[in-house]
Amino acid sequence: MKKLFWSKKLSLVAVLAIVSLLSACGNDEDTATEEEKSAWDEIQEDGSLTVATSGTLFPTSYRSEGSDELTGFEVEVVREIGERLELEIEFTELGFDEMLTSVQTGQVDLAANDIEITEDREEKFIFSTPFKYSYGTAIVRSGDLSGIETLEDLEGKKAAGASTSVYMQMAREYGAEEVVYDNATNETYLRDVAIGRTDVILNDYYLQTLALAAFPELEITIHPDLKYSPSEVGVVMNKDNTELADNVNRVIEEMLEDGTIAEISAEFFNGADVTQKVNIEE
């Protein structure tokens, strides 16, 4: 009788040991599964993409007068990307410098705000397939062109813009004094040139043209002789998020092929198709 009791006890211990072992294996598998989840897996589980944009850059990212609805060329391109990837889009409005930091630290999934593709940035981020091509121009006072004839004349002039933009980098290279704003509106930038607080704004041709058209009362103009730096624009993603980049590129290429981005461009750039490459003489 005693022998039977110990036999049963030993059998119970063996069963418990096996159950414990299987449970541990199960936990290890669960942990491994969690560890193997990519950023793209998490985005799909969450069902949304977080996107940094300024909300103040007409016509890329802004609010129409009297409306709280965010819109603009890249805002609508991103919304279409989200629809094709079956993901909700959650916009976070940030200043230009904050956008790139937020992508780098993983606080947002991507940034969309007329961000040019450069070699330096490509070392730190993944850019999507380009969907906007343009070149640089300069807004100056219409009366005297702010005393600027060539890029060399930027030396000593006050140039306004974001400190990390490619245009401000160029201004510094030519000896301009930078005047930095904290996510200011286009009107602030333009009015300061008109009243002489600053002298010049270096920026993208299409953005400059539309900005001027929005404020015809200001005595400013696009410099007739300054055309430089052909540019390409795409959305920006974290260097490690390659699966997101693959999927974003897939749908952007579909949108370029079927003309969707060209249609969005026409809506926000007075009929112009910014998806077409441009050639200029440096």
Side-chain angles (χ1 to χ4, degrees):
M1 190 75 172
K2 189 177 290 185
K3 184 176 180 180
L4 180 60
F5 170 79
W6 281 109
S7 176
K8 288 182 178 180
K9 187 173 182 180
L10 287 171
S11 296
L12 179 60
V13 169
V15 169
L16 290 174
I18 291 169
V19 169
S20 177
L21 181 60
L22 290 174
S23 176
C25 289
N27 289 337
D28 288 343
E29 287 175 5
D30 290 343
T31 302
T33 302
E34 289 294 324
E35 289 175 354
E36 288 168 6
K37 278 185 183 177
S38 66
W40 173 242
D41 291 330
E42 292 176 0
I43 287 169
Q44 287 185 298
E45 281 187 11
D46 188 54
S48 66
L49 276 175
T50 54
V51 181
T53 193
S54 69
T56 60
L57 183 60
F58 178 85
T60 290
S61 171
Y62 70 103
R63 286 180 173 79
S64 300
E65 188 175 349
S67 172
D68 289 332
E69 179 71 16
L70 192 66
T71 189
F73 172 63
E74 286 192 50
V75 168
E76 300 308 330
V77 168
V78 166
R79 284 191 172 126
E80 181 66 20
I81 289 170
E83 186 171 328
R84 296 193 185 205
L85 292 177
E86 299 182 345
L87 295 170
E88 295 292 324
I89 300 295
E90 298 177 4
F91 287 106
T92 299
E93 293 176 44
L94 300 171
F96 182 83
D97 297 343
E98 295 175 277
M99 291 180 208
L100 297 182
T101 301
S102 295
V103 171
Q104 205 163 33
T105 57
Q107 292 175 285
V108 299
D109 299 312
L110 57 87
N113 203 69
D114 202 60
I115 302 172
E116 290 187 28
I117 302 170
T118 66
E119 289 183 7
D120 288 345
R121 288 174 183 163
E122 283 186 308
E123 291 178 1
K124 301 174 184 176
F125 303 96
I126 298 176
F127 277 86
S128 72
T129 298
F131 51 81
K132 176 176 177 282
Y133 298 89
S134 188
Y135 57 90
T137 55
I139 284 181
V140 291
R141 285 183 289 281
S142 53
D144 62 355
L145 302 182
S146 297
I148 298 170
E149 293 184 11
T150 67
L151 290 172
E152 283 73 17
D153 295 324
L154 289 172
E155 185 171 359
K157 300 295 184 183
K158 292 181 179 179
S163 63
T164 57
S165 74
V166 294
Y167 297 106
M168 187 59 81
Q169 290 171 18
M170 173 175 279
R172 284 194 295 266
E173 288 172 8
Y174 280 96
E177 176 188 342
E178 64 180 281
V179 179
V180 178
Y181 296 80
D182 183 16
N183 208 27
T185 63
N186 279 343
E187 183 176 4
T188 301
Y189 280 95
L190 299 172
R191 197 170 295 281
D192 279 359
V193 172
I195 66 176
R197 182 173 181 268
T198 58
D199 298 303
V200 62
I201 303 167
L202 302 183
N203 211 320
D204 168 82
Y205 167 74
Y206 290 111
L207 298 185
Q208 301 275 55
T209 300
L210 292 174
L212 284 182
F215 301 98
E217 74 279 7
L218 298 179
E219 295 184 2
I220 51 180
T221 187
I222 290 178
H223 199 292
D225 302 321
L226 296 185
K227 297 178 182 179
Y228 55 89
S229 300
S231 61
E232 299 180 356
V233 166
V235 296
V236 185
M237 292 159 281
N238 187 284
K239 193 74 173 177
D240 297 327
N241 207 343
T242 55
E243 282 185 279
L244 172 62
D246 289 343
N247 283 281
V248 166
N249 284 337
R250 173 174 57 79
V251 296
I252 285 177
E253 285 157 19
E254 289 174 1
M255 293 159 64
L256 288 169
E257 182 68 24
D258 65 25
T260 300
I261 298 181
E263 290 177 8
I264 297 172
S265 170
E267 179 183 353
F268 290 98
F269 290 102
N270 288 337
D273 183 359
V274 300
T275 68
Q276 299 300 307
K277 292 185 178 182
V278 296
N279 293 308
I280 65 167
E281 293 183 4
E282 292 286 348

